[in-house]
Amino acid sequence: MYATVMHGPGDVRYERVEDPKILKPTDAIIKLSATCICGSDLWPYRGLQPQNGPSHMGHEYCGVVVEVGSEVRTIKPGQFVVGSFCLSDNTCPHCQFGFQSSCRSREFMSGAQAPYARVALADGTLVATNEMPDADMIPHMLAVSDVLGTGWYGADAAQVLKGGTVVVVGDGAVGLMGILAASQMGAGRIIAMSSHKDRQKLALEFGATDIVAARGEDGIGEIMELTNGVGAESVLECVGMEQSMQQAIGVCRPGGTIGYVGVPHGVTFEGRDMFFAQKRMLGGPAPVRRFLPDLMDRVLQGKIQPGKVFDLVLPIEQVAEGYKAMDERRAIKTMLQVAE
Amino acid sequence: MYATVMHGPGDVRYERVEDPKILKPTDAIIKLSATCICGSDLWPYRGLQPQNGPSHMGHEYCGVVVEVGSEVRTIKPGQFVVGSFCLSDNTCPHCQFGFQSSCRSREFMSGAQAPYARVALADGTLVATNEMPDADMIPHMLAVSDVLGTGWYGADAAQVLKGGTVVVVGDGAVGLMGILAASQMGAGRIIAMSSHKDRQKLALEFGATDIVAARGEDGIGEIMELTNGVGAESVLECVGMEQSMQQAIGVCRPGGTIGYVGVPHGVTFEGRDMFFAQKRMLGGPAPVRRFLPDLMDRVLQGKIQPGKVFDLVLPIEQVAEGYKAMDERRAIKTMLQVAE
């Protein structure tokens, strides 16, 4: 088949690769219903994360099971499934504790920007629907796999409270999903830090109540003013850069909580500063598996439409353009269509 | 009066100073029933924290109110009171949120290693008992002021759960109080990292179920073995050094929580490591005021005896020896008696 391979910074090709196959008896092969490009794919694309040779890209996926290994018990060919970008057995103590992204058998998904993909630990990773969803559900189901799941975890880690005040730092796809999550969790006020008009619009649509376009100290100042000098009890850091982390810390009230889901790049903390700032922090790769059944239900019941985050849809053959558009910030997030 | 003044590293003198007096209408003056030396007093004593000239030492206190400023409303002369080392108005949004140690009007107590002391923000800071406690209650009431309150906050910040597994890093006075707190909160298993025989004994008395004497990687290994390779869901870091923090992170399970109450000295965190470790963290100076009424009740009802942490009792005139004994680890914590 053809699939997406990154050969180096800025060099993404849709090229011939070997078909995926069952390597372990706990694997499944799925036919993708759609796939997409993640903000984290841009780190290596921009040369900000070293690569060891060509990489099969893609870790967000939903689709139909076509084959399972001999030890797969619950997942069956013909089922429509969604899985997390973290593959997990869902039985180890860390999974049982709700942190499947720290599963003892954890693997990270790859190779999903393709028509077919292998999913390891199929029973633990994949969640099947009862029926085949309608085509218009596909973007929303796909979003659950990572971008919504990660935003949701950010809000969960930030301990968003019913009626509480939330700040979301970062107006990328994950930040926008964090807004949606906070809104679903009943936050009373959701302040989005966003300087892009089109993203502000989407932020409001997903539930933001206030927009702050300023960044850095100015942005912090505006939010402190909006919150009567108190700050927010829940802050989602959805970028992973030094400045965005400082913003998150700056707008969080003492005793408040920061959920950080942007993989930190060049971010360090001084222990004494963190101590006296007195802010609770939890980050990490999102344990999307914990949230999957609930989020899939919300999508199927029409409660949420996270797929709106895809503002560019391309046939998968044009994946290189999809990367380019996101790199140049012409697109928030690119969905890739796979031919029937 | 005579009081305790630190002139420089290793140089603590009990010498003539001016009597404390009401400086602001919200102040109170108390006659100390007893006072004590804090582990944090050892940082400057050991030259590990710069001092600007001679300092009036002491921030843990209980005693009888002798005078109040014109704006003090709830605290009255003759009352027995306990206060926190953080002076707070108890009305600002941060206080109302339970983080009085980040009060907008916060001051840090000083000058309490003396027969009399000035307490600013008296109404917000001090909690009075209904009756004059018996003399044998004084050590326990004194302990509430900081060392127990700090250990309690460590356990609270570490989200100790009924039946949960807790590791306490550090067998100093705060660590021992953290054990007591975790025990009171109903922890199922409390593993104390302690290498000193006398402290191990006290740890067990306060509720530790297991003792691990090894440190560093060996200590982490032993605790991982004790917890079937999982780690603890709640970890109290009660030291503030690089090694102790690494131990705390090393024994905390993914998704678990570290409450750190040792002021970090030379501790830094790499953002990416923290992210992938996926451990919740909250530190800071303890908002003891939040816990004071409850902890004073527990003491008065005889439920807890935190004053057992004082293993050396000296007349306040011998305060220099009290510092020396703690510095040389001959004493866990020194209580100073004030003449009637």
Side-chain angles (χ1 to χ4, degrees):
Chain A
M1 68 173 185
Y2 279 73
T4 305
V5 180
M6 188 180 292
H7 286 262
D11 183 5
V12 169
R13 304 180 206 166
Y14 195 66
E15 63 185 20
R16 183 124 219 144
V17 302
E18 273 194 52
D19 286 354
K21 55 182 181 224
I22 300 287
L23 299 178
K24 290 184 191 173
T26 47
D27 289 351
I29 304 294
I30 62 168
K31 177 176 184 344
L32 279 286
S33 298
T35 180
C36 57
I37 302 170
C38 181
S40 69
D41 294 331
L42 295 182
W43 292 110
Y45 187 83
R46 289 170 174 163
L48 297 173
Q49 193 171 288
Q51 294 275 108
N52 285 325
S55 301
H56 287 229
M57 302 300 292
H59 55 259
E60 301 176 78
Y61 58 99
C62 64
V64 179
V65 178
V66 291
E67 190 187 349
V68 297
S70 61
E71 288 176 18
V72 174
R73 292 285 168 266
T74 59
I75 296 299
K76 294 175 176 42
Q79 284 181 325
F80 179 87
V81 291
V82 184
S84 166
F85 66 100
C86 281
L87 313 172
S88 56
D89 61 28
N90 213 30
T91 58
C92 84
H94 301 322
C95 286
Q96 292 298 303
F97 197 57
F99 284 81
Q100 290 91 342
S101 48
S102 286
C103 172
R104 282 181 175 170
S105 314
R106 179 185 72 189
E107 296 181 36
F108 285 106
M109 182 69 182
S110 66
Q113 287 163 10
Y116 292 89
R118 170 185 164 258
V119 182
L121 301 167
D123 277 335
T125 301
L126 298 171
V127 176
T129 56
N130 291 327
E131 293 166 29
M132 195 59 57
D134 292 341
D136 60 355
M137 282 291 167
I138 298 301
H140 308 307
M141 292 301 252
L142 174 62
V144 168
S145 172
D146 175 354
V147 67
L148 174 61
T150 295
W152 199 273
Y153 171 61
D156 183 79
Q159 305 186 351
V160 168
L161 300 170
K162 232 180 172 62
T165 297
V166 179
V167 172
V168 179
V169 181
D171 62 358
V174 171
L176 293 167
M177 292 294 99
I179 293 167
L180 177 61
S183 173
Q184 287 283 307
M185 292 177 189
R189 190 172 200 182
I190 303 171
I191 304 170
M193 299 191 82
S194 171
S195 51
H196 303 83
K197 276 275 169 254
D198 52 332
R199 296 176 184 217
Q200 292 175 0
K201 209 176 136 238
L202 213 44
L204 292 168
E205 196 171 330
F206 282 135
T209 57
D210 302 79
I211 301 282
V212 168
R215 296 179 183 197
E217 286 304 318
D218 291 347
I220 293 171
E222 276 188 38
I223 287 171
M224 291 311 281
E225 211 162 291
L226 282 172
T227 57
N228 298 317
V230 173
E233 57 256 41
S234 299
V235 180
L236 283 68
E237 202 285 331
C238 305
V239 183
M241 305 287 278
E242 181 68 27
Q243 192 196 33
S244 53
M245 186 59 88
Q246 287 309 321
Q247 278 174 193
I249 294 170
V251 301
C252 184
R253 68 182 297 171
T257 307
I258 299 166
Y260 58 107
V261 290
V263 181
H265 284 72
V267 179
T268 55
F269 303 93
E270 213 287 303
R272 180 176 285 257
D273 294 346
M274 270 183 72
F275 181 87
F276 284 102
Q278 196 154 43
K279 284 147 198 190
R280 198 178 288 104
M281 298 188 72
L282 175 62
V288 178
R289 179 64 184 79
R290 189 204 317 169
F291 310 117
L292 268 183
D294 174 43
L295 297 182
M296 289 166 70
D297 266 2
R298 287 178 199 247
V299 164
L300 290 171
Q301 289 171 24
K303 286 186 189 164
I304 53 173
Q305 300 187 294
K308 285 186 182 171
V309 79
F310 298 113
D311 59 346
L312 178 63
V313 180
L314 295 172
I316 194 167
E317 295 77 13
Q318 294 177 36
V319 60
E321 165 56 17
Y323 273 80
K324 205 154 180 283
M326 282 174 65
D327 178 42
E328 294 168 1
R329 292 184 188 277
R330 283 185 281 117
I332 299 172
K333 193 169 177 73
T334 308
M335 184 169 106
L336 303 167
Q337 290 173 313
V338 181
E340 271 305 308
Chain B
M1 68 174 185
Y2 278 73
T4 305
V5 180
M6 188 180 292
H7 286 263
D11 184 6
V12 168
R13 304 180 205 166
Y14 195 65
E15 63 184 18
R16 182 126 218 142
V17 302
E18 273 193 52
D19 286 353
K21 54 182 180 222
I22 300 287
L23 299 178
K24 291 185 189 172
T26 47
D27 289 351
I29 304 295
I30 63 167
K31 175 173 185 345
L32 280 285
S33 298
T35 180
C36 58
I37 302 171
C38 181
S40 69
D41 294 332
L42 296 183
W43 292 109
Y45 187 82
R46 291 171 174 163
L48 297 172
Q49 194 172 287
Q51 294 275 106
N52 285 325
S55 301
H56 287 229
M57 302 300 292
H59 54 259
E60 301 175 78
Y61 58 99
C62 65
V64 178
V65 179
V66 292
E67 190 186 351
V68 296
S70 61
E71 289 177 19
V72 174
R73 291 286 168 266
T74 59
I75 295 300
K76 293 174 177 45
Q79 284 181 324
F80 179 86
V81 291
V82 184
S84 165
F85 66 99
C86 280
L87 312 171
S88 56
D89 61 26
N90 213 30
T91 58
C92 84
H94 301 321
C95 286
Q96 291 298 302
F97 197 57
F99 284 81
Q100 289 93 341
S101 47
S102 286
C103 172
R104 280 181 175 168
S105 314
R106 180 186 70 190
E107 297 180 36
F108 285 105
M109 183 68 183
S110 66
Q113 286 163 8
Y116 292 89
R118 170 185 164 259
V119 182
L121 301 166
D123 276 335
T125 300
L126 298 171
V127 176
T129 56
N130 291 328
E131 293 166 29
M132 195 60 56
D134 291 341
D136 60 356
M137 282 291 167
I138 298 301
H140 308 307
M141 292 302 252
L142 174 62
V144 169
S145 173
D146 176 353
V147 66
L148 174 62
T150 295
W152 199 273
Y153 171 61
D156 183 78
Q159 305 186 352
V160 169
L161 300 170
K162 234 182 171 60
T165 297
V166 179
V167 171
V168 179
V169 181
D171 61 0
V174 171
L176 292 168
M177 293 293 100
I179 293 167
L180 177 62
S183 173
Q184 287 283 307
M185 291 176 190
R189 190 171 198 182
I190 303 172
I191 304 170
M193 298 191 84
S194 172
S195 50
H196 303 81
K197 276 276 168 252
D198 53 332
R199 296 176 184 216
Q200 291 175 358
K201 208 177 137 236
L202 214 42
L204 292 168
E205 196 170 331
F206 282 136
T209 57
D210 302 79
I211 301 282
V212 169
R215 295 179 183 198
E217 287 304 318
D218 290 346
I220 294 171
E222 276 188 38
I223 287 172
M224 291 312 280
E225 211 162 291
L226 282 172
T227 58
N228 299 316
V230 173
E233 57 255 43
S234 298
V235 180
L236 283 68
E237 201 286 331
C238 304
V239 183
M241 305 287 278
E242 181 69 27
Q243 192 198 33
S244 54
M245 186 59 88
Q246 287 311 322
Q247 278 174 192
I249 294 170
V251 301
C252 185
R253 68 183 296 171
T257 307
I258 298 165
Y260 58 107
V261 290
V263 181
H265 283 73
V267 179
T268 56
F269 303 93
E270 213 287 304
R272 180 176 285 257
D273 294 345
M274 272 182 70
F275 181 87
F276 284 103
Q278 196 153 44
K279 285 146 198 192
R280 198 178 289 104
M281 298 188 71
L282 175 61
V288 178
R289 180 63 184 81
R290 189 204 315 169
F291 310 116
L292 268 184
D294 174 43
L295 298 182
M296 290 165 69
D297 266 2
R298 286 178 200 247
V299 164
L300 290 172
Q301 289 172 24
K303 286 186 190 165
I304 53 173
Q305 300 186 295
K308 286 186 182 172
V309 79
F310 297 114
D311 59 345
L312 178 63
V313 179
L314 295 173
I316 193 167
E317 296 77 13
Q318 295 178 34
V319 60
E321 164 57 17
Y323 273 80
K324 205 152 178 284
M326 282 173 65
D327 178 41
E328 294 168 1
R329 293 184 189 276
R330 283 185 282 120
I332 299 172
K333 192 169 176 74
T334 308
M335 184 168 107
L336 303 168
Q337 290 173 313
V338 181
E340 271 305 308

